[in-house]
Amino acid sequence: MKHVTIVVPQGNANLSSITGTYEILTGANAYWQRQGNRPKLAITVAGAVPEVKLDAGFITVHPTLIGTVKKTDLVIIPSAPFSLKLIGENKELIHWIKAQYLNGAEIASMCTGAFLLAATGLLDGKTCSTHWSAENRFKQMFPKINLQPDKLVTAEHGIYTNGGAYSFLHLVLFLVEIYFDRSTAIYCSKVFQIDMDRTSQSPFFIFQGQKNHGDEVVNKAQIYIEQNLRERISFEALAAELAISRRNFDRRFTKATGNTPVEYWQRVKIEVAKSALEKGRKSVYEVMTEVGYSDDKAFRDVFKKLTGVSPLDYRARYSKAF
């Protein structure tokens, strides 16, 4: 039997990712036993303090103290609203998570729980995901980690992460398949009504240009890009206008925003295109030309690269006109 520990961080952890994980794993265990098998998992909810208040104090959780959990096989870190205070309040928990991994446990983080996992140092040099809205902050704080925010689930060296919000359900299904089997995962998919095998959270991205970096030159460049979407921008000329070499411009822009100038330009264009497609009043061709594309294939390729779906599929999914 494998021992699973769902941890409860201090700092208003997301209740649904704790209870949802517990319910699905318990359901998988029950289904497994109904097939004539012995239980696969023993599940504990644990924390560094005996009482944690969640949801603005409306819910109180009384976890088992982590000090009493000497050995576990899988640690699950729920989502929690990120702040530096969150890491400061959970130093004991962070140390315990790292010690468990070094003692052979696997680790799974959900959404912004990746910040707590990253604070252990275990993700350095590895790939992970988190909520798309936390991308810039995460990259700034943990530059040694290969963040892949388009990925719904990542798995590397016994460490599992997932994207944002309720996509934690897909990570739990993934873990069910690992710790039980495919048929049990399918059963849970049907009972809890979770789509199987979704791999990307890209269609749900809302690109937010990073502007709190303090680099005035880059800020001016961002504003220029956003105000000239339909134009053919020469970044060589833009760098010269800002009295900076092209090489230095690219370096500073990438450091400040997490994107190269060309990537930023593309992301802004596609975000505007997404908004227009959601309204449903214009054709894909009209939207394409409004954001400065003249090549249909180039537009479709960039759109699908950044969202995971074609412009037509995106319009069909989100437009009120459909």
Side-chain angles (χ1 to χ4, degrees), residues 19-305:
T19 58
T21 300
Y22 183 87
E23 288 177 10
I24 295 171
L25 293 181
T26 301
N29 223 15
Y31 173 78
W32 182 255
Q33 291 177 78
R34 288 197 297 273
Q35 309 312 303
N37 303 304
R38 293 184 177 183
K40 273 262 187 163
L41 303 179
I43 306 167
T44 299
V45 177
V49 294
E51 180 178 290
V52 180
K53 294 186 181 296
L54 305 177
D55 289 351
F58 288 107
I59 305 293
T60 301
V61 179
H62 297 276
T64 298
L65 291 175
I66 54 173
T68 66
V69 183
K70 303 301 181 184
K71 178 75 168 69
T72 193
D73 297 293
L74 173 64
V75 177
I76 297 178
I77 307 169
S79 172
F82 173 72
S83 66
L84 289 175
K85 184 180 178 183
L86 178 72
I87 291 177
E89 287 179 336
N90 288 282
K91 288 183 178 179
E92 182 182 353
L93 181 59
I94 291 167
H95 177 77
W96 180 87
I97 291 168
K98 182 175 182 178
Q100 289 298 320
Y101 181 76
L102 296 177
N103 197 30
E106 295 189 315
I107 313 290
S109 73
M110 297 171 166
C111 190
T112 49
F115 281 88
L116 284 177
L117 177 54
T120 67
L122 296 174
L123 279 173
D124 288 357
K126 298 183 180 70
T127 298
C128 84
S129 187
T130 189
H131 198 289
W132 54 260
S133 66
E135 176 182 0
N136 290 328
R137 186 70 179 274
F138 192 95
K139 286 180 175 179
Q140 288 176 345
M141 290 189 63
F142 305 108
K144 295 180 181 179
I145 298 171
N146 179 21
L147 182 66
Q148 297 288 326
D150 60 311
K151 299 291 186 184
L152 197 69
V153 173
T154 69
E156 189 173 355
H157 301 298
I159 296 179
Y160 311 100
T161 69
N162 80 277
Y166 283 85
S167 69
F168 81 86
L169 297 170
H170 298 275
L171 175 58
V172 181
L173 280 189
F174 184 82
L175 294 173
V176 167
E177 185 167 353
I178 290 174
Y179 281 84
F180 293 89
D181 58 18
R182 178 73 173 181
S183 64
T184 305
I186 291 172
Y187 168 81
C188 290
S189 170
K190 292 177 178 178
V191 169
F192 294 100
Q193 300 186 40
I194 309 165
D195 290 337
M196 288 287 288
D197 299 327
R198 187 159 71 82
T199 59
S200 175
Q201 64 172 340
S202 294
F204 304 100
F205 276 25
I206 301 174
F207 179 65
Q208 299 170 313
Q210 169 73 348
K211 289 194 173 76
N212 60 352
H213 43 69
D215 191 323
E216 187 58 30
V217 169
V218 173
N219 189 264
K220 288 179 180 178
Q222 288 174 275
I223 293 172
Y224 181 85
I225 290 169
E226 291 164 8
Q227 292 178 346
N228 293 274
L229 288 184
R230 299 185 68 171
E231 307 302 322
R232 294 181 64 86
I233 295 177
S234 165
F235 289 105
E236 193 76 40
L238 179 57
E241 182 70 22
L242 294 169
I244 187 173
S245 71
R246 174 63 192 274
R247 182 177 180 181
N248 197 26
F249 172 70
D250 286 354
R251 180 187 61 79
R252 284 172 62 173
F253 196 100
T254 303
K255 180 181 179 181
T257 70
N259 295 279
T260 67
V262 172
E263 288 170 345
Y264 190 90
W265 189 29
Q266 289 176 334
R267 285 183 176 274
V268 174
K269 284 172 175 283
I270 297 306
E271 195 59 36
V272 172
K274 283 163 59 182
S275 180
L277 291 170
E278 287 162 14
K279 294 180 175 66
R281 292 191 291 268
K282 295 177 181 177
S283 68
V284 171
Y285 178 80
E286 289 175 307
V287 170
M288 176 190 83
T289 55
E290 281 187 1
V291 297
Y293 281 91
S294 57
D295 185 325
D296 177 66
K297 184 179 184 302
F299 175 67
R300 284 188 284 107
D301 287 349
V302 173
F303 194 98
K304 189 164 186 177
K305 176 184 175 183

